[in-house]
Amino acid sequence: MSRKILIVGGVAGGASAAARLRRLDETLEIILFEKGEYISFANCGLPYYIGGSIEDRDMLFVQTPEEMKERFNIDVRVRNEVIAVDGENRKVKVKNHITNTVYEETYDDLILSPGSKPLRPSIPGIDAKNIFTLWNIPDVDAIQKYILENNPRNAVVVGGGFIGLEMAENLYNRDIHVSIIEAADQVMGPMDYDMASLIHHHILSKNVHLYLGNGVKEFISEGKSTKVILNDGKFIDADLIILSIGVRPNTEFLRDSSIELNERGGIKVNEYLETSVPHIYAVGDAIEVEDFVNQSITMIPLAGPANKQGRIVANNIAGRREKYHGTQGTSIAKVFDLTVASTGNNEKTLKLKGIPYITSVIEAKSHAGYYPGALPMTIKLIFSSNGKILGAQIIGYDGVDKRIDVIAAALRFEKSVFDLEELELAYAPPYSSAKDPVNMAGYVASNILNNDMEILHWYEIEKLDLSQSIILDIREKIERELGYIPNSYHIPLNSLRKRMNELPKDKEIIVYCQVGLRGYIAYRMLIQNGFNKVRNLIGGYKFYDTIVTTQKKLKNQSYGLGEGEMKNQDQNKQEVHNTETRDIKSNQFHAGAIVQLNACGLSCPGPIMKVYQKMNELKSGDILEVTATDPGFANDIKTWAEKTGNTCLSIDTNGSNIIARIQKGTSEASNGSCLIQPLKDHKTIVVFSGDLDKAIASFIIANGAASMGKKVTMFFTFWGLNILRKDQYVPVNKDMKSKMFGMMMPRGSRKLGLSKMNMFGMGSKMIRRVMQKKNISSLEQLIEQANQNGIKLMACQMSMDVMGIQKDELIDGVEIGGVATYLGEAEDSNVNLFI
């Protein structure tokens, strides 16, 4: 008599086990029960069917019951739900939803692959007809039907995990406005916050609203529209809502069995995937697994491990004893144009488990930079003090998949970052570089472990004591013009050897470049020339700026979009579309030539530098048409054109290519042009007075404006210069008149008097005590806050000459400028105060 094997659940793990069993033993009687109507379908492909990338619904089906029966001789019973398991008597109770009858089936061995189901918490109003989850074929059919019949304009996706972001992208691709709500402070849980910030930045660039650290309190439906009320009281109007909050195991039918479950309902199994009851195995989303990196017990619902587990269980039933060695959580997802991938543990998990670790971040190209189409990727590597790989995260546009797979394989076989250096990987210019990004990640990590480089992380910048540290920008001038870290000192790398004498050896030097590579060169240069305290900003300015800028954007974005505001958003999206598709040759407002420039394959600042060089050759009115592949070029060229007095006419995309058209000089463009008019929203303050109370007022106003995301410049002239003087005496060469001025004037902010009731300094002391008692920041704290907020502190050169004050006497972070510089800042301002 043949053995009977029952399998509960027919998607990933169950179907794999069934097929493997048949390949191993033709004599087995195999019955597969599936509660739903479909088995072995591509649930990971469901969002792409909604978005239109997968056009044929039938392509979602890997196997049908009929094919399974014909090919593998397996009795597949769809719409047959196992509702109870009796392990002692080796039988299950089954409900046939077709006939509405209940029957029993005995077994020799039982495989449980019940999977999981999406969470649907008891939020008021959650049962509205326009609120859906996406997990199976009926779900995707319901969403597709609703979209076709109701033509929704505004959608809300609740949850920023894999399915949530994939749904956001695919709804966006159907020209539906999308808002994403995530209760955590980041999307994509497997990623660390810094890497997730790159995803946030990309999502925001698509005009998709992102609400982080905020959950849903209530749904209020009115007709076909629903107000999504957030926990902080704000609301979003939506015609369609997708819930992607998480999943839980489908194990309610096991509650009364003797099978051991965890608190979440997950099935406990041993290394052979056997449950607590003999002859019962379990696989897939519903089981506990061992975390391959930290050896703790967890639950990781991924299709790849589920399929492997199905194969292992089949081997064990067939007598080929095999262990499951744990799940490392390798995953990958497409988020609009980005590819996001990870493997192993992230920082959050390692901190939770108390496991020490080190991190490195690099940016590398998908293939040789000189071959067209090279695109950047950011690789974060997490490793132990002996170099063992603990995890990795990669975000990029091309080639991310093969790099994460290489690192995942190295992690699985317990290799180190030193092994990544030695890997011999395939190279040809269209596919990689002679030093593959994986090799480069290994080199940087090895440099850290070998003490060839001390590093600084992006979040440590704001914690620096600027009286003890110098932030050194070693990029080119043109890069700095596009943005820099506040209070940084600029010496281009190629000038560093000649200008080292400008740097104090008794202070820590924080070096940064664009992505970290040149910073390493500068680090080695300085450390070997007597500078003992040097650190390189890992990931460089680009990584730091993306995170910090995105934080500000998320903080300052508009919440609670109502119906009218949604219409404005729709109009903005249409205007962007028109800008990107405009044919510049059809505009008649220019009289110059059109010159083409290929900047493909170059990383920042390469494209901008080529633009700068070429523009110097053009005549006023000429148009430069630039093609680049650096994803940051679209933003950089707008900023560069604005700052250099040129006109950005249009920005278009063609696949991975960005095509920008810049006219030399300004243009009196017609109404149909896309001439960028910079918003004059900066704030300038001329600080003429040296009185304590007026100085405090100046910095309170400046910090208030900066906290609202405004650019602020404070121009100190005449008596106001004393606010910026250092407290201590600075030995500098001065003539007698300048020395006399210096002795008569207050040295620094602590010596300032009040404009009224100073009473020989008693008034200023009293007001400082009152401010301290009321927990109001002192003037010195306000100045430090201004530095941290990126407020530009500028001293008037003419006033310094008159007053006999030299730059060395001023506090760190002060720039020197003249009237022209101030007027240039004022031109871009809509508030200009004289204090």
Side-chain angles (χ1 to χ4, degrees):
M1 184 175 178
S2 64
R3 293 168 60 201
K4 183 194 289 187
I5 312 298
L6 302 186
I7 302 174
V8 180
V11 186
S16 293
R20 176 66 175 170
L21 279 168
R22 178 56 72 221
R23 290 195 296 268
L24 294 177
D25 192 338
E26 272 288 319
T27 66
L28 294 175
E29 180 185 358
I30 304 171
I31 304 174
L32 189 153
F33 301 99
E34 173 55 49
K35 176 181 177 181
E37 188 176 347
Y38 307 96
I39 65 161
S40 198
F41 61 87
N43 50 0
C44 295
L46 301 182
Y48 300 101
Y49 173 63
I50 291 174
S53 298
I54 299 173
E55 297 180 1
D56 188 349
R57 180 177 177 275
D58 291 341
M59 295 298 292
L60 297 172
F61 300 104
V62 180
Q63 283 280 6
T64 66
E66 294 75 21
E67 289 171 339
M68 287 284 283
K69 174 65 176 176
E70 185 175 352
R71 178 170 296 181
F72 295 107
N73 190 26
I74 294 171
D75 182 1
V76 179
R77 302 179 186 179
V78 295
R79 299 189 64 189
N80 276 246
E81 178 184 4
V82 174
I83 57 176
V85 174
D86 181 355
E88 184 176 352
N89 296 301
R90 292 202 206 178
K91 62 183 180 180
V92 299
K93 185 180 290 186
V94 185
K95 181 173 183 178
N96 186 327
H97 289 283
I98 301 172
T99 62
N100 203 28
T101 57
V102 175
Y103 64 96
E104 290 184 344
E105 196 75 58
T106 60
Y107 64 83
D108 291 294
D109 289 290
L110 173 65
I111 302 174
L112 300 175
S113 180
S116 55
K117 60 183 177 183
L119 290 172
R120 199 176 178 98
S122 56
I123 300 172
I126 199 170
D127 294 325
K129 293 181 179 180
N130 60 346
I131 300 178
F132 302 89
T133 57
L134 179 63
W135 200 244
N136 53 32
I137 297 298
D139 290 340
V140 79
D141 288 342
I143 294 171
Q144 188 81 321
K145 182 174 184 287
Y146 186 87
I147 292 175
L148 292 175
E149 292 180 354
N150 295 278
N151 191 28
R153 294 175 57 250
N154 309 312
V156 164
V157 175
V158 184
F162 286 91
I163 294 177
L165 294 188
E166 289 168 353
M167 276 303 302
E169 174 191 351
N170 283 283
L171 292 173
Y172 176 90
N173 289 340
R174 294 187 70 147
D175 291 327
I176 299 173
H177 292 291
V178 182
S179 296
I180 301 170
I181 301 170
E182 171 55 56
D185 64 352
Q186 67 167 82
V187 300
M188 297 293 281
M191 312 300 287
D192 285 313
Y193 178 81
D194 49 6
M195 294 294 280
S197 292
L198 308 187
I199 307 172
H200 301 161
H201 175 78
H202 190 66
I203 291 171
L204 293 175
S205 74
K206 300 294 183 181
N207 292 324
V208 171
H209 284 259
L210 186 57
Y211 302 83
L212 299 177
N214 215 343
V216 177
K217 181 180 181 181
E218 184 180 5
F219 298 104
I220 300 177
S221 295
E222 299 174 358
K224 293 183 179 181
S225 181
T226 297
K227 281 193 186 312
V228 183
I229 312 299
L230 304 184
N231 285 336
D232 62 1
K234 306 296 191 333
F235 71 88
I236 310 168
D237 285 330
D239 309 316
L240 172 67
I241 299 164
I242 306 294
L243 301 178
S244 182
I245 303 171
V247 297
R248 64 181 179 185
N250 257 328
T251 55
E252 289 85 355
F253 71 102
L254 300 176
R255 294 292 181 184
D256 296 328
S257 73
S258 52
I259 296 172
E260 191 174 355
L261 307 176
N262 65 19
E263 292 181 357
R264 295 170 57 189
I267 304 170
K268 295 187 176 185
V269 295
N270 63 14
E271 58 192 354
Y272 295 101
L273 301 174
E274 297 167 323
T275 70
S276 57
V277 177
H279 301 284
I280 300 179
Y281 300 80
V283 299
D285 292 2
I287 71 167
E288 285 187 340
V289 294
E290 181 180 88
D291 185 302
F292 181 80
V293 175
N294 62 56
Q295 282 79 56
S296 66
I297 299 300
T298 185
M299 297 185 72
I300 304 176
L302 291 171
N307 279 284
K308 294 178 182 66
Q309 292 157 12
R311 179 184 174 91
I312 290 171
V313 163
N315 287 346
N316 287 329
I317 290 174
R320 302 184 180 191
R321 295 291 280 173
E322 184 178 349
K323 295 179 181 179
Y324 182 68
H325 296 289
T327 301
Q328 66 192 69
T330 305
S331 59
I332 192 166
K334 181 176 178 289
V335 182
F336 295 93
D337 311 313
L338 280 182
T339 301
V340 179
S342 67
T343 189
N345 284 181
N346 55 26
E347 287 192 66
K348 293 172 290 187
T349 301
L350 294 170
K351 285 178 182 177
L352 185 65
K353 300 298 179 183
I355 300 173
Y357 63 89
I358 303 168
T359 67
S360 64
V361 177
I362 70 163
E363 182 176 294
K365 292 289 186 181
S366 56
H367 58 249
Y370 57 82
Y371 187 87
L375 295 169
M377 68 177 72
T378 302
I379 302 178
K380 179 175 183 177
L381 203 57
I382 307 175
F383 48 96
S384 66
S385 58
N386 65 2
K388 181 181 177 181
I389 300 169
L390 302 175
Q393 299 159 38
I394 309 180
I395 296 177
Y397 296 85
D398 182 39
V400 170
D401 50 348
K402 70 175 181 178
R403 272 65 186 221
I404 200 67
D405 284 343
V406 170
I407 298 175
L411 189 155
R412 172 60 64 165
F413 295 108
E414 300 185 336
K415 298 300 180 182
S416 71
V417 297
F418 305 108
D419 293 310
L420 297 185
E421 293 182 282
E422 296 185 17
L423 287 177
E424 184 178 334
L425 303 172
Y427 160 62
Y431 303 105
S432 183
S433 301
K435 295 178 181 178
D436 189 86
V438 172
N439 298 134
M440 293 301 298
Y443 294 145
V444 172
S446 300
N447 285 339
I448 295 171
L449 291 175
N450 291 329
N451 296 317
D452 289 334
M453 178 176 64
E454 292 283 338
I455 63 172
L456 183 89
H457 295 283
W458 68 271
Y459 54 83
E460 296 179 271
I461 288 290
E462 65 177 14
K463 300 176 184 177
L464 291 173
D465 181 353
L466 295 180
S467 66
Q468 301 297 321
S469 302
I470 299 291
I471 304 175
L472 179 62
D473 184 348
I474 53 93
R475 300 173 302 159
E476 297 301 314
K477 180 181 177 182
I478 193 170
E479 293 176 271
R480 188 170 172 85
E481 289 176 350
L482 296 174
Y484 56 88
I485 296 176
N487 306 306
S488 58
Y489 191 70
H490 183 222
I491 302 179
L493 177 61
N494 292 344
S495 304
L496 185 55
R497 282 193 179 87
K498 299 176 184 177
R499 297 176 56 185
M500 281 187 186
N501 61 312
E502 299 177 24
L503 300 172
K505 289 189 175 180
D506 61 336
K507 290 188 177 183
E508 180 184 41
I509 309 297
I510 304 300
V511 181
Y512 77 90
C513 64
Q514 193 69 3
V515 297
L517 179 58
R518 285 172 292 167
Y520 171 61
I521 297 171
Y523 173 93
R524 297 302 304 166
M525 197 183 296
L526 290 167
I527 209 73
Q528 295 177 80
N529 278 277
F531 293 86
N532 296 320
K533 295 182 290 185
V534 185
R535 286 193 283 171
N536 181 26
L537 178 62
I538 201 75
Y541 175 77
K542 184 177 179 182
F543 191 63
Y544 162 86
D545 183 61
T546 301
I547 298 169
V548 173
T549 301
T550 302
Q551 285 177 332
K552 290 180 180 178
K553 285 182 179 179
L554 288 168
K555 182 179 179 181
N556 296 329
Q557 74 174 343
S558 297
Y559 288 92
L561 292 177
E563 178 86 8
E565 288 168 296
M566 280 296 188
K567 289 178 180 177
N568 291 337
Q569 186 186 2
D570 184 57
Q571 182 180 352
N572 291 339
K573 186 172 182 180
Q574 186 62 42
E575 287 173 357
V576 170
H577 178 75
N578 289 341
T579 296
E580 293 179 345
T581 56
R582 178 174 300 280
D583 182 3
I584 192 67
K585 296 179 179 64
S586 66
N587 290 325
Q588 301 299 319
F589 54 82
H590 66 87
I594 297 177
V595 179
Q596 293 187 338
L597 174 65
N598 187 337
C600 293
L602 298 177
S603 58
C604 181
I608 293 293
M609 295 186 73
K610 291 199 75 171
V611 168
Y612 171 75
Q613 294 164 0
K614 182 60 69 173
M615 289 292 275
N616 286 336
E617 302 172 7
L618 303 185
K619 298 177 182 178
S620 181
D622 286 352
I623 290 176
L624 184 65
E625 184 176 282
V626 190
T627 303
T629 51
D630 179 28
F633 178 70
N635 288 325
D636 287 349
I637 193 62
K638 292 178 185 177
T639 303
W640 181 85
E642 178 183 330
K643 288 181 176 290
T644 55
N646 296 296
T647 305
C648 181
L649 297 172
S650 69
I651 297 176
D652 197 3
T653 57
N654 181 13
S656 60
N657 291 340
I658 298 169
I659 303 167
R661 299 171 180 88
I662 308 101
Q663 186 174 35
K664 185 164 184 176
T666 57
S667 168
E668 296 297 324
S670 66
N671 292 333
S673 76
C674 54
L675 174 65
I676 293 176
Q677 296 290 348
L679 177 65
K680 295 187 177 183
D681 196 27
H682 300 171
K683 318 297 176 188
T684 52
I685 302 176
V686 179
V687 185
F688 177 85
S689 172
D691 295 327
L692 174 62
D693 45 340
K694 295 177 182 177
I696 291 172
S698 301
F699 277 95
I700 288 176
I701 295 170
N703 282 313
S707 68
M708 297 172 65
K710 310 301 182 184
K711 181 180 177 182
V712 182
T713 299
M714 301 181 72
F715 191 78
F716 295 82
T717 182
F718 284 96
W719 312 113
L721 289 171
N722 293 311
I723 303 170
L724 302 181
R725 292 182 71 190
K726 294 177 179 175
D727 294 336
Q728 70 275 19
Y729 169 72
V730 179
V732 290
N733 294 323
K734 291 185 178 182
D735 56 31
M736 183 58 66
K737 188 175 181 181
S738 297
K739 288 181 179 178
M740 290 179 64
F741 261 118
M743 288 186 291
M744 290 187 292
M745 293 187 300
R747 182 181 291 129
S749 60
R750 299 182 189 277
K751 301 294 184 181
L752 301 180
L754 292 179
S755 60
K756 306 288 184 183
M757 299 186 299
N758 189 44
M759 296 181 293
F760 302 100
M762 289 299 295
S764 59
K765 291 179 180 178
M766 289 174 63
I767 197 170
R768 282 180 179 272
R769 289 195 190 101
V770 172
M771 291 173 68
Q772 184 177 13
K773 188 175 181 180
K774 298 290 186 180
N775 200 27
I776 300 172
S777 298
S778 66
L779 175 57
E780 292 70 38
Q781 290 171 327
L782 289 169
I783 293 172
E784 178 61 28
Q785 290 170 17
N787 279 321
Q788 293 174 356
N789 287 332
I791 294 173
K792 183 184 289 186
L793 306 180
M794 184 172 292
C796 173
Q797 181 66 66
M798 182 274 293
S799 298
M800 290 173 62
D801 294 339
V802 172
M803 310 292 282
I805 297 175
Q806 296 187 19
K807 182 179 179 180
D808 291 343
E809 296 180 86
L810 302 180
I811 60 176
D812 294 335
V814 177
E815 299 182 26
I816 310 300
V819 174
T821 305
Y822 158 70
L823 290 176
E825 296 287 339
E827 280 289 320
D828 290 332
S829 300
N830 59 6
V831 171
N832 187 22
L833 301 178
F834 185 93
I835 300 177

